[in-house]
């Protein structure tokens, strides 16, 4: 990983391993978002129109439902830190019910989310389901994890169960709704995908073919 350091008004690139505290100092001064993994900063790409629509729809619904509850709903500017693994990242949506705990006095790096939501993108879908979720599972506070597709109507819900297990459920139809029991909320797929349109498969030799 290459990091950018400013020296005498010039940018020089120096590969280095950072502590989490050093990362936060650099990140707070950075113009773009970077994830912290194993002592390195990894740039995060921007979001598509569909990604933003989906994230905003979910955020708006949860904010409305929780507005009189002792809960807070954060968009993707709130960092989350997994203390055991020291992953620091930016979930698309973070919800905390109860007293939020932060990494330091800046109160911009949350330690105890109740629910995390990621909107899937092709370059990061495998990571969000795999290594990132493995890290998230080390958060004692985390009760539910949502993965939301943007290329089709599809939501994956993971709910913490006893004995270090997670219950997986998926939803694919606009008429479906599901409960987020840990925060006493409900979401419908129709609301999640409001104003989101999907590419129609074109026909090749009489068979449907989805564009990549």
């Amino acid at each position: 990983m290459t990091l950018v350091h400013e020296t005498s008004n010039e940018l020089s690139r120096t590969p280095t391993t950072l502590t989490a505290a050093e990362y936060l100092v650099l990140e707070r001064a950075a113009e773009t978002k970077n994830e912290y993994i194993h002592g390195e900063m990894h740039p995060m790409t921007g979001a598509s129109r569909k990604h933003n629509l989906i994230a905003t729809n979910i955020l708006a619904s949860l904010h409305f439902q929780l507005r009189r509850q002792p809960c807070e709903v954060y968009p993707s500017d709130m960092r989350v830190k997994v203390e055991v693994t020291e992953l620091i990242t930016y979930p698309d949506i973070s919800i905390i019910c109860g007293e939020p705990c932060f990494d330091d006095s800046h109160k911009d790096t949350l330690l105890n989310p109740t629910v995390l939501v990621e909107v899937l993108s092709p370059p990061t879908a495998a990571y969000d389901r795999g290594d990132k979720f493995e890290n998230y599972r080390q958060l004692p506070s985390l009760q539910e994890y949502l993965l939301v597709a943007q290329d089709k109507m599809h939501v994956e819900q993971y709910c913490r169960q006893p004995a270090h297990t997670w219950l997986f459920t998926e939803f694919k139809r606009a008429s479906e709704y599901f409960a987020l029991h840990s925060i006493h909320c409900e979401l419908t797929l129709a609301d999640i995908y409001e104003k989101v349109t999907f590419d129609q498969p074109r026909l090749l030799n009489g068979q449907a073919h989805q564009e990549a």
Side-chain angles (χ1 to χ4, degrees):
M1 180 62 196
T2 300
L3 301 177
V4 179
H5 300 273
E6 189 171 354
T7 306
S8 302
N9 297 323
E10 294 183 357
L11 292 178
S12 60
R13 296 185 176 271
T14 307
T16 184
T17 298
L18 301 170
T19 66
E22 290 169 337
Y23 155 80
L24 287 172
V25 171
L26 290 173
E27 187 67 5
R28 286 170 179 144
E31 295 182 358
T32 57
K33 294 178 183 177
N34 299 275
E35 193 174 46
Y36 177 77
I37 309 173
H38 302 310
E40 297 181 343
M41 293 174 73
H42 295 262
M44 301 183 71
T45 58
S48 68
R49 172 179 173 271
K50 289 181 183 178
H51 185 122
N52 283 316
L53 282 172
I54 292 166
T56 300
N57 289 341
I58 297 171
L59 184 79
S61 179
L62 294 179
H63 175 74
F64 180 79
Q65 293 180 66
L66 294 169
R67 66 195 185 282
R68 293 188 178 91
Q69 303 303 318
C71 303
E72 298 178 4
V73 184
Y74 302 117
S76 60
D77 284 334
M78 175 60 74
R79 282 184 296 271
V80 166
K81 178 180 180 181
V82 182
E83 291 188 285
V84 173
T85 65
E86 287 206 325
L87 170 73
I88 306 177
T89 189
Y90 294 84
D92 288 313
I93 300 171
S94 305
I95 303 102
I96 165 66
C97 285
E99 186 67 27
C101 298
F102 297 97
D103 189 56
D104 57 28
S105 60
H106 288 271
K107 295 186 177 182
D108 57 6
T109 307
L110 184 67
L111 300 177
N112 62 332
T114 308
V115 176
L116 293 175
V117 181
E118 297 284 5
V119 179
L120 298 174
S121 300
T124 62
Y127 172 56
D128 289 339
R129 287 193 182 96
D131 288 347
K132 182 180 273 189
F133 186 27
E134 184 178 354
N135 277 271
Y136 283 163
R137 292 198 298 270
Q138 306 307 308
L139 290 162
S141 63
L142 186 66
Q143 298 302 307
E144 295 180 85
Y145 182 46
L146 292 184
L147 293 173
V148 185
Q150 62 172 302
D151 59 344
K152 59 184 176 181
M153 194 169 287
H154 188 210
V155 176
E156 303 169 37
Q157 181 184 30
Y158 297 86
C159 301
R160 187 185 291 273
Q161 304 293 302
H164 306 289
T165 59
W166 290 76
L167 176 65
F168 166 70
T169 314
E170 60 183 339
F171 308 92
K172 298 181 179 181
R173 295 188 298 273
S175 59
E176 289 187 289
Y177 68 93
F178 58 94
L180 292 166
H181 294 288
S182 63
I183 58 175
H184 308 292
C185 291
E186 287 187 349
L187 289 171
T188 69
L189 268 68
D191 287 341
I192 291 172
Y193 289 100
E194 184 178 1
K195 298 183 180 179
V196 177
T197 57
F198 302 106
D199 296 333
Q200 294 298 318
R202 60 189 179 90
L203 294 178
L204 286 180
N205 298 324
Q207 295 183 344
H209 173 74
Q210 183 70 48
E211 294 286 356

